[in-house]
Amino acid sequence: QVQLQESGPGLVKPSETLSLTCAVSGYSISSGYYWGWIRQPPGKGLEWIGNIYHSGNTQYNPSLKSRVIISVDTSKNQFSLKVSSVTAADTAVYYCARSLLTVTRVSFGSWGQGTLVSVSS
Amino acid sequence: QSALTQPPSATGSPGQSVTISCTGTSSDVGGYNYVSWYQQHPGKAPKVMIYEVTKRPSGVPDRFSASKSGNTASLTVSGLQAEDEADYYCSSFAGENNLVVFGGGTKLTVL
């Protein structure tokens, strides 16, 4: 059974870069599926950030595209998120997730527990 | 402001049925059969309950069903149980330039 675990700083200063890693166990990223990042500001709804395939192909939310990079490290079986020039609006619980099916990019069947990232000086 | 519109709240009594709507446009909900529904309990990660408009993943009770008509998708929870009380989010494929859009969420209360 696949398990995902987010890690990274819980506090980031405004204008700096938020960096998170999602460690995957129980499944090899190289074997397929799509891997995504979704965030949820406190008390608010979900927002899709972007997806990556094991080949490295990425797709991003157009509202975040200029500030977001998602990368994959198949040797460590993990993928990462970077959001640059953060503001208080980027404060959220960040989830990493795996697509529900190998061929479907838009439904997420396995999720990490989420990690709260606060942006504050 | 979320791309998809959901009612902020819904209420039902144990054993009853409740339906939650999710309204989009022809560029998302109405244009593709890729609507998903997620259940989220407080402090927990979302759990997919429905995908591709009507399909239930393994392990999801058949009390959960869904449909779509035009630009509006709907999730129906039948035989309401206390553990169904949660936030529910719809999502849809919205084209290659904006893969996934979510609704604002509906808080389901079981009286």
Side-chain angles (χ1 to χ4, degrees):
Chain A
Q1 181 177 348
V2 66
Q3 292 187 314
L4 299 92
Q5 179 67 59
E6 306 89 350
S7 63
L11 181 63
V12 181
K13 290 182 168 56
S15 80
E16 296 190 343
T17 296
L18 177 162
S19 296
L20 295 174
T21 296
C22 181
V24 178
S25 59
Y27 187 83
S28 172
I29 288 179
S30 299
S31 296
Y33 285 90
Y34 293 85
W35 307 86
W37 288 96
I38 300 98
R39 70 181 183 180
Q40 185 172 35
K44 296 187 178 181
L46 301 167
E47 180 180 34
W48 173 72
I49 299 171
N51 282 4
I52 191 165
Y53 194 54
H54 68 82
S55 61
N57 288 343
T58 53
Q59 288 182 286
Y60 299 124
N61 185 323
S63 70
L64 298 169
K65 188 174 183 177
S66 64
R67 300 193 293 126
V68 169
I69 296 175
I70 297 175
S71 59
V72 64
D73 186 339
T74 54
S75 67
K76 294 183 178 179
N77 213 37
Q78 63 186 35
F79 60 107
S80 300
L81 170 70
K82 291 187 185 299
V83 182
S84 62
S85 304
V86 297
T87 69
D90 294 307
T91 294
V93 174
Y94 285 77
Y95 295 99
C96 60
R98 187 186 79 171
S99 62
L100 176 63
L101 305 173
T102 57
V103 296
T104 301
R105 299 168 289 168
V106 299
S107 295
F108 298 100
S110 301
W111 295 64
Q113 65 184 25
T115 187
L116 175 63
V117 179
S118 299
V119 178
S120 175
S121 56
Chain B
Q1 187 171 352
S2 302
L4 307 179
T5 300
Q6 298 181 237
S9 63
T11 304
S13 299
Q16 288 186 333
S17 295
V18 66
T19 297
I20 299 170
S21 63
C22 169
T23 302
T25 69
S26 58
S27 297
D28 38 62
V29 173
Y32 310 95
N33 289 321
Y34 288 111
V35 176
S36 300
W37 289 92
Y38 296 87
Q39 177 192 66
Q40 186 180 35
H41 288 109
K44 301 295 187 182
K47 173 187 176 183
V48 65
M49 307 301 283
I50 298 286
Y51 69 102
E52 293 177 7
V53 181
T54 61
K55 298 178 181 178
R56 276 189 313 275
S58 174
V60 173
D62 60 6
R63 301 186 295 103
F64 292 85
S65 62
S67 62
K68 188 186 81 167
S69 178
N71 296 336
T72 298
S74 299
L75 172 72
T76 297
V77 186
S78 304
L80 273 173
Q81 299 181 4
E83 62 259 34
D84 299 332
E85 184 163 294
D87 293 325
Y88 290 84
Y89 293 91
C90 62
S91 74
S92 175
F93 176 66
E96 290 299 326
N97 290 330
N98 191 12
L99 215 58
V100 181
V101 291
F102 282 97
T106 297
K107 182 176 180 58
L108 173 60
T109 300
V110 181
L111 298 172

